[in-house]
Coordinates of all heavy atoms in Angstrom, one line a residue:
M1 N 0.9 -1.2 0.0 CA 0.0 0.0 0.0 C 0.9 1.2 0.0 O 1.7 1.4 0.9 CB -0.9 0.0 1.3 CG -1.9 1.1 1.3 SD -3.3 1.0 0.2 CE -4.1 -0.5 0.8
K2 N 0.7 2.1 -1.0 CA 1.6 3.3 -1.0 C 1.1 4.3 -0.1 O -0.1 4.6 0.0 CB 1.5 3.8 -2.5 CG 2.4 5.1 -2.7 CD 2.7 5.3 -4.1 CE 3.5 6.7 -4.3 NZ 4.6 6.8 -3.4
Y3 N 2.0 4.8 0.7 CA 1.6 5.7 1.8 C 1.6 7.2 1.2 O 2.4 7.5 0.3 CB 2.6 5.7 2.9 CG 2.2 6.5 4.1 CD1 1.2 6.0 5.0 CD2 2.7 7.7 4.4 CE1 0.8 6.7 6.1 CE2 2.3 8.5 5.5 CZ 1.3 7.9 6.3 OH 0.9 8.7 7.4
Y4 N 0.7 8.0 1.8 CA 0.7 9.4 1.5 C 0.5 10.1 2.8 O -0.1 9.5 3.7 CB -0.3 9.8 0.4 CG -1.7 9.5 0.8 CD1 -2.5 10.3 1.6 CD2 -2.3 8.3 0.4 CE1 -3.8 10.0 1.9 CE2 -3.6 7.9 0.8 CZ -4.3 8.8 1.5 OH -5.6 8.5 1.8
P5 N 1.1 11.3 3.0 CA 1.1 11.9 4.3 C -0.3 12.2 4.9 O -1.2 12.6 4.2 CB 1.9 13.2 4.1 CG 2.7 13.0 2.9 CD 1.8 12.1 2.0
Y6 N -0.4 12.1 6.2 CA -1.6 12.5 6.9 C -1.7 14.1 6.8 O -0.7 14.8 7.0 CB -1.5 12.1 8.4 CG -2.6 12.6 9.2 CD1 -3.9 12.1 9.1 CD2 -2.5 13.7 10.1 CE1 -5.0 12.5 9.9 CE2 -3.5 14.2 10.9 CZ -4.7 13.6 10.7 OH -5.8 14.0 11.5
P7 N -2.9 14.6 6.5 CA -3.0 16.1 6.4 C -3.0 16.7 7.8 O -4.0 17.2 8.3 CB -4.4 16.2 5.7 CG -5.2 15.0 6.1 CD -4.1 13.9 6.2
C8 N -1.8 16.8 8.4 CA -1.6 17.4 9.7 C -1.9 18.9 9.7 O -1.4 19.6 8.9 CB -0.2 17.1 10.1 SG 0.3 17.9 11.7
A9 N -2.7 19.3 10.7 CA -3.0 20.7 10.8 C -2.0 21.5 11.6 O -2.1 22.7 11.8 CB -4.4 20.8 11.5
R10 N -1.0 20.8 12.0 CA 0.1 21.4 12.8 C -0.3 22.2 14.0 O 0.1 23.3 14.3 CB 1.0 22.3 11.9 CG 1.6 21.6 10.8 CD 2.5 22.4 9.9 NE 3.1 21.7 8.8 CZ 3.8 22.2 7.9 NH1 4.0 23.6 7.8 NH2 4.3 21.5 7.0
C11 N -1.3 21.6 14.7 CA -1.8 22.2 15.9 C -0.9 22.0 17.1 O -1.0 22.7 18.1 CB -3.3 21.7 16.2 SG -3.3 20.0 16.7
G12 N -0.1 21.0 17.0 CA 0.9 20.7 18.0 C 0.3 19.9 19.2 O 1.0 19.6 20.2
A13 N -1.0 19.5 19.2 CA -1.6 18.9 20.3 C -0.9 17.5 20.6 O -0.7 17.2 21.9 CB -3.1 18.6 20.0
C14 N -0.5 16.8 19.7 CA 0.1 15.5 19.9 C 1.5 15.7 20.7 O 1.9 15.0 21.5 CB 0.3 14.6 18.7 SG 1.1 15.5 17.3
C15 N 2.2 16.7 20.2 CA 3.5 17.0 20.8 C 3.4 17.6 22.2 O 4.4 17.7 22.9 CB 4.3 18.0 19.9 SG 4.3 17.4 18.2
R16 N 2.2 18.0 22.6 CA 2.0 18.6 24.0 C 1.5 17.5 25.0 O 1.2 17.9 26.1 CB 1.0 19.8 23.9 CG 1.5 21.0 23.2 CD 0.7 22.2 23.5 NE 1.3 23.3 22.9 CZ 1.1 23.7 21.6 NH1 0.4 23.0 20.8 NH2 1.7 24.7 21.1
H17 N 1.4 16.3 24.5 CA 0.9 15.3 25.4 C 1.8 14.0 25.4 O 1.3 12.9 25.4 CB -0.5 14.9 25.0 CG -1.5 16.0 25.3 ND1 -1.8 16.9 24.4 CD2 -2.2 16.3 26.4 CE1 -2.7 17.8 24.9 NE2 -2.9 17.4 26.1
V18 N 3.1 14.2 25.3 CA 4.0 13.1 25.2 C 4.0 12.3 26.5 O 4.4 11.1 26.5 CB 5.4 13.5 24.8 CG1 5.5 14.0 23.3 CG2 6.0 14.5 25.7
D19 N 3.5 12.9 27.6 CA 3.5 12.2 28.9 C 2.5 11.0 28.8 O 2.5 10.2 29.8 CB 3.1 13.2 30.0 CG 1.9 14.0 29.7 OD1 1.6 14.3 28.6 OD2 1.1 14.3 30.7
R20 N 1.6 11.0 27.8 CA 0.7 9.9 27.7 C 1.2 8.6 27.1 O 0.6 7.6 27.0 CB -0.5 10.4 26.9 CG -1.3 11.5 27.6 CD -2.5 11.9 26.8 NE -3.2 12.9 27.5 CZ -4.5 13.2 27.3 NH1 -5.2 12.4 26.5 NH2 -5.1 14.1 28.0
I21 N 2.4 8.7 26.6 CA 3.1 7.6 25.9 C 4.4 7.2 26.6 O 5.3 8.0 26.6 CB 3.3 8.0 24.4 CG1 2.0 8.5 23.7 CG2 4.0 6.8 23.6 CD1 2.2 9.1 22.4
A22 N 4.4 6.0 27.1 CA 5.5 5.6 27.9 C 6.8 5.7 27.1 O 7.9 6.1 27.7 CB 5.3 4.2 28.4
Q23 N 6.8 5.3 25.9 CA 8.0 5.3 25.0 C 8.5 6.7 24.7 O 9.7 6.9 24.3 CB 7.7 4.6 23.7 CG 7.3 3.1 23.9 CD 5.8 2.9 24.0 OE1 5.1 3.7 24.5 NE2 5.4 1.8 23.4
M24 N 7.7 7.8 25.0 CA 8.2 9.1 24.8 C 8.6 9.8 26.0 O 8.8 11.0 26.1 CB 7.0 9.9 24.1 CG 6.6 9.4 22.8 SD 7.9 9.7 21.5 CE 7.8 11.5 21.3
A25 N 8.8 9.1 27.1 CA 9.1 9.7 28.4 C 10.3 10.6 28.4 O 10.3 11.7 29.0 CB 9.3 8.6 29.5
S26 N 11.3 10.2 27.7 CA 12.6 11.0 27.6 C 12.4 12.3 26.8 O 13.3 13.2 26.8 CB 13.7 10.1 27.0 OG 13.5 9.9 25.7
F27 N 11.3 12.5 26.2 CA 11.0 13.7 25.4 C 10.2 14.7 26.2 O 10.2 15.9 25.8 CB 10.3 13.3 24.1 CG 11.1 12.6 23.0 CD1 11.5 11.3 23.2 CD2 11.6 13.3 21.9 CE1 12.3 10.6 22.3 CE2 12.4 12.6 21.0 CZ 12.7 11.3 21.2
N28 N 9.7 14.3 27.3 CA 8.9 15.2 28.1 C 9.8 16.2 28.8 O 10.7 15.9 29.6 CB 8.2 14.3 29.2 CG 7.2 15.1 30.0 OD1 7.1 16.4 29.9 ND2 6.4 14.4 30.8
R29 N 9.5 17.5 28.6 CA 10.3 18.6 29.2 C 10.0 18.8 30.6 O 10.6 19.6 31.3 CB 10.2 19.8 28.3 CG 8.9 20.5 28.5 CD 8.8 21.8 27.6 NE 7.5 22.5 27.9 CZ 7.1 23.5 27.2 NH1 7.8 24.0 26.3 NH2 5.9 24.1 27.6
G30 N 8.9 18.1 31.1 CA 8.5 18.2 32.5 C 7.1 18.5 32.7 O 6.6 18.3 33.8
D31 N 6.4 19.0 31.6 CA 5.0 19.4 31.8 C 4.2 18.7 30.7 O 3.0 19.1 30.4 CB 4.9 20.9 31.6 CG 5.4 21.4 30.3 OD1 5.9 20.6 29.5 OD2 5.2 22.6 30.1
G32 N 4.7 17.6 30.2 CA 3.9 16.8 29.2 C 4.2 17.3 27.8 O 3.9 16.6 26.8
V33 N 4.9 18.4 27.6 CA 5.2 18.9 26.3 C 6.6 18.4 25.8 O 7.5 18.4 26.6 CB 5.2 20.5 26.3 CG1 5.6 21.0 24.9 CG2 3.9 21.0 26.8
C34 N 6.6 18.1 24.6 CA 7.9 17.5 24.1 C 9.0 18.7 24.0 O 8.7 19.8 23.6 CB 7.7 17.0 22.6 SG 9.3 16.4 21.9
K35 N 10.1 18.3 24.5 CA 11.2 19.3 24.5 C 11.7 19.8 23.2 O 12.4 20.8 23.0 CB 12.4 18.8 25.3 CG 13.0 17.5 24.8 CD 14.0 16.9 25.7 CE 14.6 15.6 25.2 NZ 15.5 15.0 26.2
H36 N 11.3 19.1 22.1 CA 11.7 19.5 20.7 C 10.6 20.3 20.0 O 10.8 20.6 18.8 CB 12.0 18.2 19.9 CG 13.1 17.5 20.5 ND1 14.4 18.0 20.6 CD2 13.2 16.2 21.1 CE1 15.2 17.1 21.1 NE2 14.5 16.0 21.5
L37 N 9.4 20.6 20.7 CA 8.4 21.4 20.0 C 8.8 22.8 20.0 O 9.2 23.4 21.1 CB 7.1 21.2 20.8 CG 5.9 21.9 20.1 CD1 5.5 21.3 18.8 CD2 4.7 21.8 21.1
T38 N 8.8 23.5 18.9 CA 9.2 24.9 18.8 C 8.0 25.8 19.1 O 6.8 25.4 19.1 CB 9.7 25.2 17.4 OG1 8.7 25.2 16.5 CG2 10.9 24.3 17.0
A39 N 8.3 27.1 19.2 CA 7.2 28.0 19.6 C 6.1 28.1 18.5 O 5.0 28.4 18.8 CB 7.8 29.4 19.8
N40 N 6.5 27.8 17.3 CA 5.5 27.8 16.2 C 5.0 26.5 15.8 O 4.6 26.2 14.7 CB 6.1 28.6 15.0 CG 7.4 28.0 14.5 OD1 8.0 27.2 15.2 ND2 7.9 28.5 13.4
N41 N 5.0 25.5 16.8 CA 4.4 24.2 16.6 C 5.1 23.3 15.6 O 4.5 22.4 15.0 CB 2.9 24.3 16.2 CG 2.0 24.5 17.4 OD1 2.4 24.4 18.6 ND2 0.8 25.0 17.2
L42 N 6.4 23.6 15.5 CA 7.1 22.7 14.5 C 8.0 21.8 15.4 O 8.3 22.1 16.5 CB 7.9 23.5 13.5 CG 7.1 24.4 12.6 CD1 8.0 25.2 11.7 CD2 6.2 23.5 11.7
C43 N 8.5 20.8 14.7 CA 9.4 19.8 15.4 C 10.9 20.2 15.1 O 11.3 20.2 13.9 CB 9.1 18.4 14.9 SG 10.3 17.2 15.6
A44 N 11.6 20.4 16.1 CA 13.0 20.9 15.9 C 13.9 19.8 15.4 O 15.0 20.0 15.0 CB 13.6 21.4 17.2
I45 N 13.5 18.5 15.5 CA 14.3 17.4 15.1 C 13.5 16.6 14.0 O 13.6 15.3 14.0 CB 14.7 16.4 16.3 CG1 13.4 15.9 17.0 CG2 15.6 17.2 17.2 CD1 13.7 14.7 17.9
Y46 N 12.7 17.3 13.2 CA 11.8 16.6 12.3 C 12.4 15.5 11.5 O 11.9 14.4 11.4 CB 11.2 17.6 11.4 CG 10.1 17.0 10.5 CD1 8.8 16.8 11.1 CD2 10.3 16.7 9.2 CE1 7.8 16.3 10.3 CE2 9.3 16.1 8.4 CZ 8.0 15.9 9.0 OH 7.0 15.4 8.2
A47 N 13.6 15.7 10.9 CA 14.2 14.7 10.1 C 14.6 13.5 10.9 O 14.7 12.4 10.3 CB 15.4 15.3 9.4
E48 N 14.9 13.7 12.2 CA 15.4 12.6 13.0 C 14.3 12.2 14.1 O 14.7 11.6 15.1 CB 16.7 12.9 13.7 CG 17.9 13.0 12.8 CD 18.0 14.4 12.2 OE1 17.7 15.3 12.8 OE2 18.4 14.5 11.0
R49 N 13.1 12.6 13.9 CA 12.1 12.4 14.9 C 11.9 10.9 15.2 O 12.2 10.1 14.2 CB 10.8 13.0 14.5 CG 10.1 12.5 13.3 CD 9.1 13.4 12.8 NE 8.2 12.9 11.7 CZ 8.7 12.8 10.5 NH1 9.9 13.0 10.2 NH2 7.8 12.4 9.6
P50 N 11.4 10.5 16.4 CA 11.3 9.1 16.6 C 10.2 8.4 15.8 O 9.3 9.1 15.3 CB 11.0 9.0 18.1 CG 10.4 10.3 18.4 CD 11.1 11.3 17.5
T51 N 10.2 7.1 15.7 CA 9.3 6.4 14.9 C 7.9 6.7 15.2 O 7.0 6.9 14.3 CB 9.5 4.9 15.1 OG1 10.8 4.6 14.6 CG2 8.5 4.0 14.3
L52 N 7.6 6.9 16.5 CA 6.2 7.1 16.9 C 5.7 8.4 16.4 O 4.5 8.7 16.4 CB 6.1 7.0 18.4 CG 6.1 5.6 19.0 CD1 6.0 5.7 20.6 CD2 5.0 4.8 18.5
C53 N 6.5 9.3 16.0 CA 6.1 10.7 15.5 C 6.1 10.6 14.0 O 5.7 11.7 13.4 CB 7.1 11.7 16.0 SG 7.3 11.9 17.8
N54 N 6.4 9.5 13.4 CA 6.5 9.5 11.9 C 5.4 8.6 11.4 O 5.4 7.3 11.5 CB 7.9 8.9 11.6 CG 8.1 8.9 10.1 OD1 7.2 8.6 9.3 ND2 9.3 9.2 9.7
G55 N 4.4 9.2 10.8 CA 3.2 8.5 10.4 C 3.5 7.4 9.4 O 2.9 6.3 9.5
E56 N 4.4 7.7 8.5 CA 4.7 6.7 7.5 C 5.3 5.4 8.1 O 4.9 4.3 7.8 CB 5.6 7.2 6.4 CG 5.9 6.2 5.3 CD 6.6 6.8 4.1 OE1 7.0 8.0 4.2 OE2 6.7 6.1 3.1
Q57 N 6.2 5.6 9.1 CA 6.9 4.5 9.7 C 5.9 3.8 10.6 O 5.9 2.5 10.6 CB 8.1 5.0 10.6 CG 9.2 5.4 9.7 CD 10.5 5.8 10.6 OE1 10.6 5.4 11.7 NE2 11.4 6.5 10.0
V58 N 5.1 4.5 11.3 CA 4.1 3.8 12.2 C 3.1 3.0 11.3 O 2.8 1.8 11.6 CB 3.3 4.9 13.0 CG1 2.1 4.2 13.7 CG2 4.2 5.5 14.0
Y59 N 2.7 3.5 10.2 CA 1.8 2.8 9.3 C 2.5 1.5 8.8 O 1.9 0.4 8.9 CB 1.3 3.7 8.1 CG 0.6 3.0 7.1 CD1 -0.8 2.6 7.4 CD2 1.1 2.6 5.9 CE1 -1.6 1.9 6.5 CE2 0.3 1.9 5.0 CZ -1.0 1.5 5.3 OH -1.7 0.8 4.4
K60 N 3.7 1.7 8.3 CA 4.3 0.5 7.7 C 4.7 -0.5 8.7 O 4.7 -1.7 8.4 CB 5.6 1.0 6.9 CG 5.2 1.7 5.6 CD 6.4 2.2 4.9 CE 5.9 2.8 3.5 NZ 7.0 3.5 2.8
K61 N 5.1 -0.1 9.9 CA 5.5 -1.1 11.0 C 4.3 -1.8 11.6 O 4.3 -2.9 12.0 CB 6.3 -0.4 12.0 CG 7.7 -0.2 11.6 CD 8.6 0.3 12.7 CE 10.0 0.5 12.3 NZ 10.9 0.9 13.3
F62 N 3.2 -1.0 11.9 CA 2.1 -1.5 12.7 C 0.7 -1.6 12.1 O -0.1 -2.4 12.6 CB 2.0 -0.7 14.0 CG 3.3 -0.5 14.8 CD1 3.9 0.8 14.8 CD2 3.9 -1.6 15.4 CE1 5.1 0.9 15.5 CE2 5.1 -1.4 16.1 CZ 5.7 -0.2 16.2
F63 N 0.5 -0.9 11.0 CA -0.9 -0.8 10.5 C -1.0 -1.1 9.0 O -2.0 -0.8 8.4 CB -1.5 0.6 10.8 CG -1.6 0.9 12.3 CD1 -0.7 1.6 12.9 CD2 -2.8 0.5 13.0 CE1 -0.8 1.9 14.3 CE2 -2.9 0.8 14.3 CZ -1.9 1.5 15.0
S64 N 0.0 -1.8 8.5 CA 0.0 -2.0 7.0 C -1.1 -3.0 6.5 O -1.3 -3.1 5.3 CB 1.3 -2.5 6.6 OG 1.7 -3.7 7.2
D65 N -1.8 -3.6 7.5 CA -2.9 -4.4 7.1 C -4.2 -3.7 6.8 O -5.2 -4.3 6.4 CB -3.2 -5.5 8.2 CG -3.5 -4.9 9.5 OD1 -3.0 -3.8 9.8 OD2 -4.2 -5.5 10.3
M66 N -4.2 -2.4 7.1 CA -5.3 -1.6 6.7 C -4.9 -0.6 5.7 O -3.8 -0.4 5.3 CB -5.9 -0.9 8.0 CG -4.9 0.2 8.6 SD -5.7 1.1 10.0 CE -6.0 -0.2 11.2
T67 N -6.0 0.1 5.1 CA -5.6 1.0 4.0 C -5.1 2.3 4.7 O -5.3 2.6 5.9 CB -6.9 1.4 3.2 OG1 -7.8 2.1 4.1 CG2 -7.6 0.2 2.6
V68 N -4.5 3.2 3.9 CA -3.9 4.4 4.4 C -5.1 5.3 4.8 O -5.1 6.0 5.9 CB -3.1 5.2 3.3 CG1 -2.6 6.5 3.8 CG2 -1.9 4.3 2.9
E69 N -6.2 5.2 4.1 CA -7.4 6.0 4.5 C -7.9 5.6 5.9 O -8.3 6.5 6.7 CB -8.5 5.8 3.5 CG -8.3 6.5 2.2 CD -7.4 5.7 1.2 OE1 -7.0 4.6 1.6 OE2 -7.0 6.2 0.1
E70 N -7.9 4.3 6.1 CA -8.4 3.9 7.5 C -7.4 4.3 8.6 O -7.8 4.7 9.6 CB -8.5 2.3 7.5 CG -9.6 1.8 6.6 CD -9.6 0.3 6.4 OE1 -8.5 -0.3 6.5 OE2 -10.6 -0.3 6.1
F71 N -6.2 4.2 8.3 CA -5.1 4.6 9.3 C -5.2 6.1 9.5 O -5.3 6.5 10.7 CB -3.7 4.3 8.7 CG -2.6 4.8 9.5 CD1 -2.4 4.3 10.8 CD2 -1.7 5.8 9.0 CE1 -1.3 4.7 11.6 CE2 -0.7 6.2 9.8 CZ -0.5 5.7 11.0
H72 N -5.4 6.9 8.6 CA -5.6 8.3 8.7 C -6.9 8.6 9.5 O -6.9 9.6 10.2 CB -5.6 9.1 7.4 CG -4.2 9.2 6.8 ND1 -3.9 9.7 5.6 CD2 -2.9 8.7 7.3 CE1 -2.6 9.6 5.3 NE2 -2.0 9.1 6.4
G73 N -7.9 7.8 9.3 CA -9.1 8.0 10.1 C -8.9 7.8 11.6 O -9.4 8.5 12.4
I74 N -8.1 6.8 11.9 CA -7.7 6.6 13.3 C -6.9 7.8 13.8 O -7.2 8.3 15.0 CB -6.9 5.3 13.5 CG1 -7.8 4.1 13.2 CG2 -6.3 5.2 14.8 CD1 -7.0 2.8 13.1
I75 N -5.9 8.2 13.1 CA -5.1 9.4 13.5 C -6.0 10.6 13.7 O -5.9 11.3 14.7 CB -4.1 9.7 12.4 CG1 -3.1 8.5 12.2 CG2 -3.3 11.0 12.8 CD1 -2.3 8.2 13.4
S76 N -7.0 10.8 12.8 CA -7.9 11.9 12.9 C -8.6 11.9 14.2 O -8.8 13.0 14.9 CB -8.8 11.9 11.7 OG -9.7 13.0 11.8
Q77 N -9.1 10.7 14.6 CA -9.8 10.6 15.9 C -8.9 10.9 17.1 O -9.3 11.6 18.0 CB -10.4 9.2 16.1 CG -11.5 8.9 15.1 CD -12.7 9.9 15.3 OE1 -13.2 10.1 16.4 NE2 -13.2 10.4 14.2
L78 N -7.7 10.4 17.0 CA -6.7 10.7 18.1 C -6.4 12.2 18.2 O -6.3 12.8 19.3 CB -5.4 9.9 17.9 CG -5.5 8.4 18.0 CD1 -4.2 7.7 17.6 CD2 -5.8 8.1 19.5
C79 N -6.2 12.9 17.0 CA -6.0 14.3 17.0 C -7.2 15.1 17.7 O -6.9 16.0 18.5 CB -5.8 14.8 15.6 SG -4.4 14.1 14.7
K80 N -8.4 14.7 17.3 CA -9.5 15.3 17.9 C -9.6 15.2 19.4 O -9.8 16.1 20.1 CB -10.8 14.6 17.3 CG -12.1 15.3 17.6 CD -13.2 14.8 16.7 CE -14.5 15.4 17.0 NZ -15.1 14.8 18.2
K81 N -9.3 14.0 19.9 CA -9.3 13.7 21.4 C -8.2 14.6 22.1 O -8.4 15.1 23.1 CB -9.1 12.2 21.7 CG -10.3 11.4 21.4 CD -10.1 10.0 21.8 CE -11.4 9.2 21.6 NZ -11.1 7.7 21.7
L82 N -7.0 14.6 21.4 CA -5.9 15.4 22.0 C -6.3 16.9 22.1 O -6.0 17.6 23.0 CB -4.7 15.2 21.3 CG -4.0 13.8 21.5 CD1 -2.9 13.6 20.5 CD2 -3.5 13.8 22.9
R83 N -6.9 17.4 21.0 CA -7.3 18.8 21.0 C -8.3 19.1 22.0 O -8.3 20.1 22.7 CB -7.7 19.2 19.6 CG -6.6 19.4 18.6 CD -7.1 20.2 17.4 NE -7.9 19.4 16.5 CZ -7.5 18.7 15.5 NH1 -6.2 18.7 15.2 NH2 -8.3 18.0 14.8
E84 N -9.2 18.1 22.2 CA -10.3 18.3 23.2 C -9.7 18.3 24.6 O -10.2 18.9 25.5 CB -11.3 17.2 23.1 CG -12.2 17.4 21.8 CD -13.1 16.2 21.5 OE1 -13.0 15.2 22.2 OE2 -13.9 16.4 20.6
A85 N -8.6 17.6 24.8 CA -7.9 17.5 26.1 C -7.2 18.8 26.4 O -6.8 19.0 27.6 CB -7.0 16.3 26.1
G86 N -7.1 19.7 25.4 CA -6.5 21.0 25.7 C -5.0 20.9 25.2 O -4.3 20.1 25.7
A87 N -4.7 21.8 24.3 CA -3.3 21.9 23.8 C -2.7 23.2 24.1 O -3.4 24.2 24.3 CB -3.4 21.6 22.3
Ligands
SF4_1 S1 -2.6 16.5 16.9 FE1 -2.9 15.8 14.8 S2 -3.2 17.7 13.5 FE2 -2.3 18.3 15.5 S3 -0.1 18.4 15.1 FE3 -0.6 16.3 15.9 S4 -0.9 15.0 14.1 FE4 -1.0 17.1 13.5
SF4_2 S1 9.9 14.8 18.5 FE1 9.0 16.3 17.2 S2 7.2 15.3 16.3 FE2 7.8 14.1 18.1 S3 6.6 14.8 19.8 FE3 8.5 16.0 19.8 S4 8.1 17.8 18.6 FE4 6.5 16.4 18.2

């Protein structure tokens, strides 16, 4: 299945809740926000970001049994929940 990027709104909500993911503990600057999130909601280490922050890698490693559209639908629901949690 050929991957195409998730239409990220760059709201930064996912990067402000890294405390919810055990594997991202070392990225937490102390208040749940990733220490690599810049003031304008960009990732300071984008090219070297961890697998969990890379939609294509996550899809290919863990969700390749579903379509990209289905995978993006799941991401969209997670984004919505994170934004509702307050970003
Ligand atoms: S919460 Fe979703 S839309 Fe917002 S930055 Fe993260 S991936 Fe993009
Ligand atoms: S490494 Fe980058 S993409 Fe991942 S949570 Fe931190 S700022 Fe966001």
